[in-house]
mmCIF file with all atom_site columns, all heavy atoms in Angstrom:
data_model
loop_
_atom_site.group_PDB
_atom_site.id
_atom_site.type_symbol
_atom_site.label_atom_id
_atom_site.label_alt_id
_atom_site.label_comp_id
_atom_site.label_asym_id
_atom_site.label_entity_id
_atom_site.label_seq_id
_atom_site.pdbx_PDB_ins_code
_atom_site.Cartn_x
_atom_site.Cartn_y
_atom_site.Cartn_z
_atom_site.occupancy
_atom_site.B_iso_or_equiv
_atom_site.pdbx_formal_charge
_atom_site.auth_seq_id
_atom_site.auth_comp_id
_atom_site.auth_asym_id
_atom_site.auth_atom_id
_atom_site.pdbx_PDB_model_num
ATOM 1  N N   . ASN Z 1 178 ? 12.307 21.277 29.535 1.00 0.00 ? 1256 ASN Z N   1
ATOM 2  C CA  . ASN Z 1 178 ? 13.226 21.940 28.584 1.00 0.00 ? 1256 ASN Z CA  1
ATOM 3  C C   . ASN Z 1 178 ? 13.020 21.500 27.141 1.00 0.00 ? 1256 ASN Z C   1
ATOM 4  O O   . ASN Z 1 178 ? 13.975 21.192 26.431 1.00 0.00 ? 1256 ASN Z O   1
ATOM 5  C CB  . ASN Z 1 178 ? 14.685 21.695 28.975 1.00 0.00 ? 1256 ASN Z CB  1
ATOM 6  C CG  . ASN Z 1 178 ? 15.020 22.390 30.257 1.00 0.00 ? 1256 ASN Z CG  1
ATOM 7  O OD1 . ASN Z 1 178 ? 14.540 23.494 30.512 1.00 0.00 ? 1256 ASN Z OD1 1
ATOM 8  N ND2 . ASN Z 1 178 ? 15.807 21.727 31.084 1.00 0.00 ? 1256 ASN Z ND2 1
ATOM 9  N N   . LYS Z 1 179 ? 11.768 21.444 26.755 1.00 0.00 ? 1257 LYS Z N   1
ATOM 10 C CA  . LYS Z 1 179 ? 11.447 21.095 25.360 1.00 0.00 ? 1257 LYS Z CA  1
ATOM 11 C C   . LYS Z 1 179 ? 11.093 22.388 24.614 1.00 0.00 ? 1257 LYS Z C   1
ATOM 12 O O   . LYS Z 1 179 ? 11.054 23.466 25.211 1.00 0.00 ? 1257 LYS Z O   1
ATOM 13 C CB  . LYS Z 1 179 ? 10.226 20.173 25.301 1.00 0.00 ? 1257 LYS Z CB  1
ATOM 14 C CG  . LYS Z 1 179 ? 10.291 18.975 26.213 1.00 0.00 ? 1257 LYS Z CG  1
ATOM 15 C CD  . LYS Z 1 179 ? 10.982 17.842 25.564 1.00 0.00 ? 1257 LYS Z CD  1
ATOM 16 C CE  . LYS Z 1 179 ? 11.078 16.647 26.491 1.00 0.00 ? 1257 LYS Z CE  1
ATOM 17 N NZ  . LYS Z 1 179 ? 12.169 15.773 26.108 1.00 0.00 ? 1257 LYS Z NZ  1
ATOM 18 N N   . SER Z 1 180 ? 10.798 22.223 23.327 1.00 0.00 ? 1258 SER Z N   1
ATOM 19 C CA  . SER Z 1 180 ? 10.340 23.369 22.546 1.00 0.00 ? 1258 SER Z CA  1
ATOM 20 C C   . SER Z 1 180 ? 8.981  23.013 21.958 1.00 0.00 ? 1258 SER Z C   1
ATOM 21 O O   . SER Z 1 180 ? 8.755  21.859 21.576 1.00 0.00 ? 1258 SER Z O   1
ATOM 22 C CB  . SER Z 1 180 ? 11.312 23.663 21.409 1.00 0.00 ? 1258 SER Z CB  1
ATOM 23 O OG  . SER Z 1 180 ? 12.621 23.751 21.926 1.00 0.00 ? 1258 SER Z OG  1
ATOM 24 N N   . LEU Z 1 181 ? 8.112  23.995 21.899 1.00 0.00 ? 1259 LEU Z N   1
ATOM 25 C CA  . LEU Z 1 181 ? 6.773  23.756 21.360 1.00 0.00 ? 1259 LEU Z CA  1
ATOM 26 C C   . LEU Z 1 181 ? 6.481  24.780 20.271 1.00 0.00 ? 1259 LEU Z C   1
ATOM 27 O O   . LEU Z 1 181 ? 6.682  25.980 20.463 1.00 0.00 ? 1259 LEU Z O   1
ATOM 28 C CB  . LEU Z 1 181 ? 5.731  23.888 22.501 1.00 0.00 ? 1259 LEU Z CB  1
ATOM 29 C CG  . LEU Z 1 181 ? 4.262  23.885 22.101 1.00 0.00 ? 1259 LEU Z CG  1
ATOM 30 C CD1 . LEU Z 1 181 ? 3.853  22.536 21.528 1.00 0.00 ? 1259 LEU Z CD1 1
ATOM 31 C CD2 . LEU Z 1 181 ? 3.368  24.208 23.308 1.00 0.00 ? 1259 LEU Z CD2 1
ATOM 32 N N   . ILE Z 1 182 ? 6.064  24.270 19.119 1.00 0.00 ? 1260 ILE Z N   1
ATOM 33 C CA  . ILE Z 1 182 ? 5.637  25.165 18.041 1.00 0.00 ? 1260 ILE Z CA  1
ATOM 34 C C   . ILE Z 1 182 ? 4.217  24.751 17.687 1.00 0.00 ? 1260 ILE Z C   1
ATOM 35 O O   . ILE Z 1 182 ? 3.995  23.582 17.334 1.00 0.00 ? 1260 ILE Z O   1
ATOM 36 C CB  . ILE Z 1 182 ? 6.554  25.044 16.796 1.00 0.00 ? 1260 ILE Z CB  1
ATOM 37 C CG1 . ILE Z 1 182 ? 8.014  25.298 17.203 1.00 0.00 ? 1260 ILE Z CG1 1
ATOM 38 C CG2 . ILE Z 1 182 ? 6.111  26.011 15.700 1.00 0.00 ? 1260 ILE Z CG2 1
ATOM 39 C CD1 . ILE Z 1 182 ? 9.027  24.962 16.110 1.00 0.00 ? 1260 ILE Z CD1 1
ATOM 40 N N   . MET Z 1 183 ? 3.277  25.642 17.850 1.00 0.00 ? 1261 MET Z N   1
ATOM 41 C CA  . MET Z 1 183 ? 1.898  25.230 17.557 1.00 0.00 ? 1261 MET Z CA  1
ATOM 42 C C   . MET Z 1 183 ? 1.181  26.211 16.640 1.00 0.00 ? 1261 MET Z C   1
ATOM 43 O O   . MET Z 1 183 ? 1.349  27.423 16.750 1.00 0.00 ? 1261 MET Z O   1
ATOM 44 C CB  . MET Z 1 183 ? 1.102  25.007 18.836 1.00 0.00 ? 1261 MET Z CB  1
ATOM 45 C CG  . MET Z 1 183 ? 0.904  26.217 19.692 1.00 0.00 ? 1261 MET Z CG  1
ATOM 46 S SD  . MET Z 1 183 ? -0.201 25.798 21.066 1.00 0.00 ? 1261 MET Z SD  1
ATOM 47 C CE  . MET Z 1 183 ? 0.009  27.240 22.078 1.00 0.00 ? 1261 MET Z CE  1
ATOM 48 N N   . VAL Z 1 184 ? 0.413  25.599 15.752 1.00 0.00 ? 1262 VAL Z N   1
ATOM 49 C CA  . VAL Z 1 184 ? -0.446 26.398 14.887 1.00 0.00 ? 1262 VAL Z CA  1
ATOM 50 C C   . VAL Z 1 184 ? -1.759 26.550 15.634 1.00 0.00 ? 1262 VAL Z C   1
ATOM 51 O O   . VAL Z 1 184 ? -2.287 25.572 16.164 1.00 0.00 ? 1262 VAL Z O   1
ATOM 52 C CB  . VAL Z 1 184 ? -0.680 25.664 13.547 1.00 0.00 ? 1262 VAL Z CB  1
ATOM 53 C CG1 . VAL Z 1 184 ? -1.836 26.276 12.788 1.00 0.00 ? 1262 VAL Z CG1 1
ATOM 54 C CG2 . VAL Z 1 184 ? 0.581  25.675 12.703 1.00 0.00 ? 1262 VAL Z CG2 1
ATOM 55 N N   . THR Z 1 185 ? -2.243 27.740 15.738 1.00 0.00 ? 1263 THR Z N   1
ATOM 56 C CA  . THR Z 1 185 ? -3.530 27.924 16.418 1.00 0.00 ? 1263 THR Z CA  1
ATOM 57 C C   . THR Z 1 185 ? -4.377 28.979 15.700 1.00 0.00 ? 1263 THR Z C   1
ATOM 58 O O   . THR Z 1 185 ? -3.841 29.892 15.078 1.00 0.00 ? 1263 THR Z O   1
ATOM 59 C CB  . THR Z 1 185 ? -3.338 28.293 17.906 1.00 0.00 ? 1263 THR Z CB  1
ATOM 60 O OG1 . THR Z 1 185 ? -4.606 28.512 18.497 1.00 0.00 ? 1263 THR Z OG1 1
ATOM 61 C CG2 . THR Z 1 185 ? -2.468 29.532 18.095 1.00 0.00 ? 1263 THR Z CG2 1
ATOM 62 N N   . HIS Z 1 186 ? -5.677 28.775 15.799 1.00 0.00 ? 1264 HIS Z N   1
ATOM 63 C CA  . HIS Z 1 186 ? -6.583 29.756 15.194 1.00 0.00 ? 1264 HIS Z CA  1
ATOM 64 C C   . HIS Z 1 186 ? -6.892 30.849 16.204 1.00 0.00 ? 1264 HIS Z C   1
ATOM 65 O O   . HIS Z 1 186 ? -7.457 31.884 15.878 1.00 0.00 ? 1264 HIS Z O   1
ATOM 66 C CB  . HIS Z 1 186 ? -7.879 29.060 14.757 1.00 0.00 ? 1264 HIS Z CB  1
ATOM 67 C CG  . HIS Z 1 186 ? -8.589 28.436 15.919 1.00 0.00 ? 1264 HIS Z CG  1
ATOM 68 N ND1 . HIS Z 1 186 ? -8.233 27.201 16.402 1.00 0.00 ? 1264 HIS Z ND1 1
ATOM 69 C CD2 . HIS Z 1 186 ? -9.579 28.889 16.719 1.00 0.00 ? 1264 HIS Z CD2 1
ATOM 70 C CE1 . HIS Z 1 186 ? -9.005 26.911 17.449 1.00 0.00 ? 1264 HIS Z CE1 1
ATOM 71 N NE2 . HIS Z 1 186 ? -9.822 27.914 17.664 1.00 0.00 ? 1264 HIS Z NE2 1
ATOM 72 N N   . SER Z 1 187 ? -6.528 30.578 17.487 1.00 0.00 ? 1265 SER Z N   1
ATOM 73 C CA  . SER Z 1 187 ? -6.938 31.472 18.557 1.00 0.00 ? 1265 SER Z CA  1
ATOM 74 C C   . SER Z 1 187 ? -5.813 32.440 18.926 1.00 0.00 ? 1265 SER Z C   1
ATOM 75 O O   . SER Z 1 187 ? -4.785 32.050 19.480 1.00 0.00 ? 1265 SER Z O   1
ATOM 76 C CB  . SER Z 1 187 ? -7.361 30.632 19.767 1.00 0.00 ? 1265 SER Z CB  1
ATOM 77 O OG  . SER Z 1 187 ? -7.343 31.395 20.929 1.00 0.00 ? 1265 SER Z OG  1
ATOM 78 N N   . LYS Z 1 188 ? -6.035 33.717 18.667 1.00 0.00 ? 1266 LYS Z N   1
ATOM 79 C CA  . LYS Z 1 188 ? -5.038 34.730 19.023 1.00 0.00 ? 1266 LYS Z CA  1
ATOM 80 C C   . LYS Z 1 188 ? -4.890 34.806 20.541 1.00 0.00 ? 1266 LYS Z C   1
ATOM 81 O O   . LYS Z 1 188 ? -3.813 35.076 21.050 1.00 0.00 ? 1266 LYS Z O   1
ATOM 82 C CB  . LYS Z 1 188 ? -5.451 36.094 18.459 1.00 0.00 ? 1266 LYS Z CB  1
ATOM 83 C CG  . LYS Z 1 188 ? -5.105 36.237 16.988 1.00 0.00 ? 1266 LYS Z CG  1
ATOM 84 C CD  . LYS Z 1 188 ? -5.266 37.662 16.513 1.00 0.00 ? 1266 LYS Z CD  1
ATOM 85 C CE  . LYS Z 1 188 ? -4.814 37.733 15.063 1.00 0.00 ? 1266 LYS Z CE  1
ATOM 86 N NZ  . LYS Z 1 188 ? -5.158 38.978 14.418 1.00 0.00 ? 1266 LYS Z NZ  1
ATOM 87 N N   . GLU Z 1 189 ? -6.005 34.543 21.257 1.00 0.00 ? 1267 GLU Z N   1
ATOM 88 C CA  . GLU Z 1 189 ? -5.977 34.605 22.727 1.00 0.00 ? 1267 GLU Z CA  1
ATOM 89 C C   . GLU Z 1 189 ? -5.025 33.552 23.284 1.00 0.00 ? 1267 GLU Z C   1
ATOM 90 O O   . GLU Z 1 189 ? -4.193 33.833 24.127 1.00 0.00 ? 1267 GLU Z O   1
ATOM 91 C CB  . GLU Z 1 189 ? -7.388 34.370 23.310 1.00 0.00 ? 1267 GLU Z CB  1
ATOM 92 C CG  . GLU Z 1 189 ? -8.370 35.496 23.084 1.00 0.00 ? 1267 GLU Z CG  1
ATOM 93 C CD  . GLU Z 1 189 ? -8.813 35.610 21.636 1.00 0.00 ? 1267 GLU Z CD  1
ATOM 94 O OE1 . GLU Z 1 189 ? -9.014 34.551 21.001 1.00 0.00 ? 1267 GLU Z OE1 1
ATOM 95 O OE2 . GLU Z 1 189 ? -8.912 36.745 21.120 1.00 0.00 ? 1267 GLU Z OE2 1
#
Side-chain angles (χ1 to χ4, degrees):
Chain Z
N1256 292 323
K1257 310 273 179 203
S1258 309
L1259 171 66
I1260 304 170
M1261 64 174 169
V1262 165
T1263 178
H1264 61 278
S1265 161
K1266 280 191 176 169
E1267 289 71 39

